[in-house]
Amino acid sequence: MNDALSTVLLAVFAGAIRVSTPFLFVSLGECLTEKSGRINLGLEGILVFGAMTGYAISYHSGSPWIGVLAAGVAGSLFGAFHGWVCKLPRVNDVAIGIAMMLFGTGLAFFFGKPYIQPTAPRLPALELGFWSDVPQVREALKINPLFFAGLAVAIVLWWAFRNTRWGLIVRMTGDSSATARAMGYSVDWVRFLATTVGGFLAGVGGAFLSLYYPGSWTEGLSSGQGLMAVALVIFARWNPLACFAAAVLFGGAGAIGPALQSVGISQGYHFFNAAPYILTLLIMILSISPKRSLRGAPAELSLMK
Amino acid sequence: MSDKDRPAVGVETVGMTKIFGSLTALEDASIKVRPGTLHALLGENGAGKSTLVKCMMGFYQPTRGKLLVDGQEVVVRNPRDAMAYKLGMVYQHFTLVPSLTAAENLIVSRPDCPSVIDWKSEIGALEAFLNRMPFKVPLRTPVSSLSAGEKQKLEILKQLYLDRRFLILDEPTSVLTPGEADEMLGLLRGMVEAGEITILMISHKFREVTAYADEVTVLRRGRQVGSGLVKDLTRDDMARMMIGDTKIRERAARTSVEKSATVLDLTALYASDDDGLPAIEAIDLKVKAGEIVGIAGVSGNGQSELVEVLSGQRDLDDGRILIHGHPFEPSRGAMAKLKVFSLQEEPLRNSAVPRMSVAENMALRSFDQPPISRSGWWLKPGPMKAIARELIARYRVKTPSPETPIENLSGGNVQRAVLARELSGDVDVLIVANPCFGLDFASVAEIRSQIMDQRNRGAAVLLVSEDLDEILELADRVAVMSEGRISYVAPIGETDRQTIGHAMAGHH
């Protein structure tokens, strides 16, 4: 029994890291975009397109890292397109985001058909469990390098929001575009760049899906991670470090089902698999009250108006 | 011209004219603000004050006219050019970023803001700067949790931090208590006298103009109608220049009301603001029939939350509202039954549907009752328009037709239209919030006498206002709100401006 418990805990730990990585990248991208005062719901589409691009380029080039880079570039092109369209007068960023989500997914399916069969080189894992003799521990400590990259991005974003000129400009644009304009900054340009960089991060998150876990390109690859990341950013109150914690929490919730199955508990498997969605719903209900506005929300966000 | 010890900058306009399409917003304004003086710019709303200063700051390009800085003719194409000539402006609405701290706001406003900020040395430099300044602001607090007075000070500090030497202040004391206003203007006056800065202050408070300004220029309908040294002019002179020969309705006289019963009875009201923090606490207040109770206070001390609670726009956390002894839940039915009406601040935002017509907006209280509606659901546009036409005539609302969307009307006329709707029936309780904010003299007189009429007719009136003069003119009793509580109540005859101002500042 004790054995089973430690197996489950190890599996949840490993799963949390594995499942959280795409959440982490998408939510950091969304966090940056929303801090600048714009919301990009198209990240789900970018995620799927990034997964397809990453897989295809890894297959053709033979290097998964070039695939990750290509996925990021593809994501930033989508982000830039969103940013550019939203610069036009009377354009609603939420509507454009939904259109981008459908467009990105559809385009990925269209170009991705030939890549469902072949096998592309996958990202290597870092063997951090070399010190242990227990195979379960060694297995659980096989950690993907993108997880650490995401953690680094979270820390850098958190630091940059308070300690760099760019960070202050992004926060200013998101909170009071009138002030930003009065200081002579172009609000559209700042948001364009933030959306582009946000798209890059979401694209990298997509590459993780196809190149590490689950590790192949299929059309059902993303199960709404891109959209759940939006909820996650609200839960994290637009703080990159909290985004990291929230992503790990969501990842852990997503890992419960498979972990229980690994010790033979398959009762309620589908229920446990739905844990992240239930968690999203609960978090949205608990953290939002009709009586008060969200603290920490960028005031320019169209969601908040 | 400016030497090192007296770096203040002087600005002069010659024949400044600005035409927007068919509207001449400013015509031939020549004002001379000497370096090291405090110059007041007086005028009603729409008199062209902001057009003039926006031409100076490069937001607008004047159609004609010249701008001289320290005697040299200059062309200011945009606010950045104005910055180069050390001109700066403090707006009436704050241009601070709420989520950033005071220090972050100052740093990011700098044109040479470093790409990576070394907070240790920057904070040191900011503290050294603040030590040279007459007023202090906490540096590490987010601006959203500063008081309105601190924000106003920070706005001015920002201009000084950016080394602006000619400051345009747009109604700088509108959010301050009388005490804070005197303190700030006194300190600024000191800097002006030391020759450090020049100030052009837009104001409509004669008291401040006579106490602190050296010279004054008055605008009316886009024209410069007078200027001179403040010491040569009386308040009446200035008021006459501002208003011109416009006919102003005689103020309704206060009739004496004999001892009457309590109508509106608030007991221990508690409510929270949008952040879930307590906004009003333990509000106890009684308003009798035929009485105006004025609630004074600096904005943001819970007054708007109190009005929202009474008009059903915010939930009550605890407490009881009684009207004529009946418990009152602010629902549509209860409001109609107990005859509770309200005139909200900024009615276009708070109690009118901007794109609906004047007639529809006027019918919002009565569209579900005959004669406008048949059996409660079938609307008849004929009677609706007829009633609107009658109200438009009776309340002198200037509108092209009853079908015009209400957002096309001027501020004063929106206020009159909403007032017409609220006062058209039989009124027992009237809740009024800042009814005259931003209106011209004629509308102000009209609306204040309508409120007084309701009082004389026996309505219980709760008047929330940030304008102390309005309260002193209208109220029978004054209550002061400070930090969500009622800190002071007194009959109008037994109190004065100083005492009320003291209570507004939280000393009691």
Side-chain angles (χ1 to χ4, degrees):
Chain A
M1 187 60 214
N2 224 353
D3 241 21
L5 183 66
S6 62
T7 312
V8 168
L9 286 180
L10 272 176
V12 168
F13 168 77
I17 286 173
R18 214 164 42 217
V19 181
S20 68
T21 308
F23 277 127
L24 180 56
F25 275 94
V26 183
S27 65
L28 289 176
E30 186 67 29
C31 180
L32 176 63
T33 310
E34 291 189 13
K35 272 276 189 195
S36 78
R38 192 168 274 161
I39 188 158
N40 182 2
L41 290 181
L43 291 188
E44 171 77 9
I46 297 179
L47 185 84
V48 175
F49 194 81
M52 191 283 296
T53 311
Y55 199 74
I57 298 297
S58 167
Y59 174 70
H60 286 298
S61 69
S63 160
W65 290 109
I66 294 181
V68 170
L69 190 69
V73 170
S76 54
L77 289 179
F78 271 90
F81 183 67
H82 185 281
W84 175 73
V85 175
C86 289
K87 270 164 75 167
L88 305 173
R90 287 169 187 272
V91 168
N92 179 294
D93 54 351
V94 172
I96 293 299
I98 293 172
M100 295 279 296
M101 174 165 72
L102 300 172
F103 177 64
T105 320
L107 209 61
F109 291 177
F110 177 74
F111 287 117
K113 285 279 186 262
Y115 300 103
I116 295 177
Q117 280 300 326
T119 313
R122 294 173 48 184
L123 284 169
L126 302 173
E127 308 270 351
L128 297 179
F130 56 85
W131 47 270
S132 169
D133 300 330
V134 187
Q136 283 96 331
V137 173
R138 294 179 77 113
E139 185 59 31
L141 285 178
K142 271 190 189 170
I143 292 175
N144 73 86
L146 280 180
F147 177 77
F148 293 109
L151 176 58
V153 172
I155 293 171
V156 167
L157 272 183
W158 174 79
W159 174 82
F161 276 142
R162 24 186 94 215
N163 290 296
T164 65
R165 177 164 54 127
W166 268 103
L168 290 189
I169 292 173
V170 167
R171 284 167 65 199
M172 172 165 71
T173 316
D175 223 28
S176 168
S177 58
T179 310
R181 249 177 242 120
M183 302 278 160
Y185 295 110
S186 160
V187 171
D188 283 333
W189 183 238
V190 172
R191 291 186 182 159
F192 173 81
L193 289 178
T195 320
T196 305
V197 176
F200 184 91
L201 292 173
V204 171
F208 173 89
L209 288 176
S210 61
L211 293 175
Y212 190 86
Y213 178 83
S216 62
W217 161 246
T218 59
E219 292 185 351
L221 196 59
S222 161
S223 35
Q225 275 113 324
L227 282 176
M228 278 149 73
V230 176
L232 202 146
V233 172
I234 296 175
F235 174 52
R237 295 286 184 272
W238 297 269
N239 175 345
L241 289 186
C243 279
F244 174 77
V248 173
L249 179 72
F250 270 63
I256 292 174
L260 287 177
Q261 202 190 26
S262 70
V263 293
I265 303 176
S266 55
Q267 226 169 9
Y269 174 71
H270 292 291
F271 174 75
F272 285 115
N273 270 355
Y277 307 99
I278 297 168
L279 193 66
T280 311
L281 202 58
L282 281 180
I283 280 172
M284 290 326 258
I285 293 169
L286 294 179
S287 63
I288 291 174
S289 146
K291 283 197 188 173
R292 52 193 147 113
S293 52
L294 282 172
R295 208 167 312 160
E300 289 285 331
L301 219 51
S302 53
L303 274 181
M304 302 298 146
K305 283 184 178 167
Chain B
M1 195 165 137
S2 64
D3 54 75
K4 269 204 180 102
D5 298 330
R6 296 183 71 82
V9 168
V11 172
E12 191 180 342
T13 67
V14 180
M16 196 70 96
T17 302
K18 177 70 190 173
I19 301 173
F20 297 101
S22 62
L23 174 80
T24 306
L26 187 68
E27 200 175 347
D28 200 23
S30 299
I31 99 167
K32 182 167 183 163
V33 186
R34 270 176 268 276
T37 58
L38 204 160
H39 196 109
L41 189 56
L42 278 173
E44 293 201 65
N45 269 34
K49 291 170 304 191
S50 37
T51 310
L52 174 62
V53 297
K54 280 181 176 165
C55 286
M56 288 179 167
M57 286 301 294
F59 283 101
Y60 295 154
Q61 292 309 306
T63 314
R64 279 193 296 278
K66 287 190 291 188
L67 180 67
L68 282 73
V69 175
D70 277 341
Q72 306 286 316
E73 186 177 341
V74 297
V75 180
V76 175
R77 272 178 233 92
N78 51 45
R80 210 172 289 191
D81 285 356
M83 235 181 264
Y85 297 115
K86 303 195 168 187
L87 312 187
M89 177 160 174
V90 175
Y91 301 87
Q92 213 178 350
H93 55 266
F94 295 120
T95 58
L96 298 164
V97 188
S99 67
L100 300 191
T101 65
E104 286 173 332
N105 264 294
L106 289 176
I107 298 284
V108 80
S109 68
R110 233 166 61 185
D112 61 333
C113 173
S115 8
V116 175
I117 298 155
D118 175 5
W119 276 118
K120 222 173 183 180
S121 72
E122 292 294 351
I123 290 274
L126 283 174
E127 272 165 0
F129 162 75
L130 281 187
N131 282 337
R132 282 182 280 123
M133 288 297 128
F135 26 80
K136 309 274 170 273
V137 166
L139 280 176
R140 290 162 206 260
T141 319
V143 165
S144 53
S145 38
L146 295 180
S147 72
E150 285 173 321
K151 283 183 199 162
Q152 186 70 57
K153 286 177 186 167
L154 182 57
E155 286 280 5
I156 292 171
L157 283 174
K158 188 167 91 182
Q159 298 298 325
L160 299 172
Y161 179 69
L162 298 172
D163 200 35
R164 309 276 165 80
R165 296 297 178 175
F166 179 87
L167 297 190
I168 300 170
L169 309 180
D170 191 356
E171 302 199 4
T173 58
S174 57
V175 293
L176 306 182
T177 65
E180 279 180 315
D182 283 332
E183 184 206 355
M184 186 161 84
L185 290 175
L187 294 169
L188 286 174
R189 173 87 218 160
M191 293 185 78
V192 165
E193 278 168 7
E196 287 176 56
I197 50 172
T198 310
I199 291 179
L200 176 63
M201 176 172 78
I202 297 178
S203 181
H204 61 238
K205 295 184 181 165
F206 293 126
R207 193 179 67 84
E208 286 168 2
V209 173
T210 41
Y212 296 101
D214 300 298
E215 286 177 63
V216 62
T217 297
V218 184
L219 297 181
R220 186 174 74 234
R221 293 196 192 131
R223 289 181 157 274
Q224 186 178 348
V225 288
S227 57
L229 293 173
V230 170
K231 61 175 180 347
D232 297 340
L233 295 166
T234 64
R235 283 185 194 200
D236 281 347
D237 295 336
M238 290 189 258
R240 211 167 305 124
M241 284 194 251
M242 273 171 83
I243 306 163
D245 48 10
T246 317
K247 282 230 161 48
I248 293 216
R249 181 177 157 165
E250 201 65 27
R251 296 280 157 93
R254 184 187 304 270
T255 58
S256 61
V257 177
E258 54 218 81
K259 263 203 162 179
S260 55
T262 298
V263 177
L264 178 67
D265 184 356
L266 312 178
T267 316
L269 299 190
Y270 287 81
S272 312
D273 66 7
D274 288 341
D275 289 327
L277 302 172
I280 60 172
E281 295 178 83
I283 298 288
D284 283 303
L285 203 61
K286 289 183 174 46
V287 188
K288 293 194 194 100
E291 182 187 44
I292 299 179
V293 173
I295 296 195
V298 183
S299 81
N301 275 289
Q303 302 98 312
S304 43
E305 283 84 358
L306 177 63
V307 172
E308 284 169 4
V309 160
L310 294 176
S311 46
Q313 293 169 322
R314 184 174 292 276
D315 287 344
L316 206 53
D317 291 344
D318 197 11
R320 211 176 40 165
I321 306 170
L322 293 181
I323 290 175
H324 289 304
H326 299 287
F328 172 66
E329 291 270 341
S331 67
R332 188 173 172 86
M335 285 182 200
K337 192 170 143 247
L338 297 168
K339 297 173 191 150
V340 182
F341 294 89
S342 61
L343 186 62
Q344 309 253 332
E345 60 188 337
E346 292 184 74
L348 200 54
R349 236 179 62 194
N350 290 319
S351 60
V353 189
R355 287 184 193 170
M356 279 191 175
S357 71
V358 174
E360 286 166 329
N361 270 293
M362 281 179 162
L364 288 182
R365 286 272 181 207
S366 55
F367 70 84
D368 51 356
Q369 288 152 15
I372 297 181
S373 116
R374 183 184 297 159
S375 44
W377 62 278
W378 183 263
L379 298 193
K380 293 186 281 185
M384 189 193 284
K385 249 173 252 168
I387 291 174
R389 251 182 238 117
E390 192 218 312
L391 288 177
I392 286 170
R394 177 143 47 105
Y395 287 85
R396 280 170 275 204
V397 184
K398 274 188 211 128
T399 170
S401 81
E403 281 88 35
T404 311
I406 198 164
E407 64 180 351
N408 295 359
L409 270 53
S410 74
N413 284 307
V414 173
Q415 192 74 290
R416 284 175 208 216
V418 174
L419 194 71
R421 173 183 83 204
E422 299 296 316
L423 302 186
S424 52
D426 204 8
V427 180
D428 272 7
V429 178
L430 183 64
I431 316 285
V432 193
N434 292 317
C436 300
F437 189 74
L439 301 189
D440 54 280
F441 277 102
S443 302
V444 168
E446 177 88 36
I447 282 164
R448 286 185 185 162
S449 47
Q450 295 280 4
I451 295 170
M452 189 57 88
D453 279 342
Q454 290 298 328
R455 169 201 174 274
N456 293 344
R457 283 188 44 249
V461 182
L462 188 67
L463 167 72
V464 174
S465 179
E466 283 156 32
D467 182 352
L468 198 46
D469 294 320
E470 181 164 79
I471 287 183
L472 293 173
E473 179 189 327
L474 291 177
D476 297 291
R477 257 191 318 141
V478 190
V480 174
M481 265 184 99
S482 164
E483 291 173 10
R485 289 167 182 277
I486 289 189
S487 54
Y488 175 80
V489 184
I492 199 80
E494 296 168 21
T495 186
D496 55 34
R497 178 185 291 277
Q498 266 74 31
T499 320
I500 298 173
H502 214 57
M504 280 163 74
H507 313 292
H508 42 86

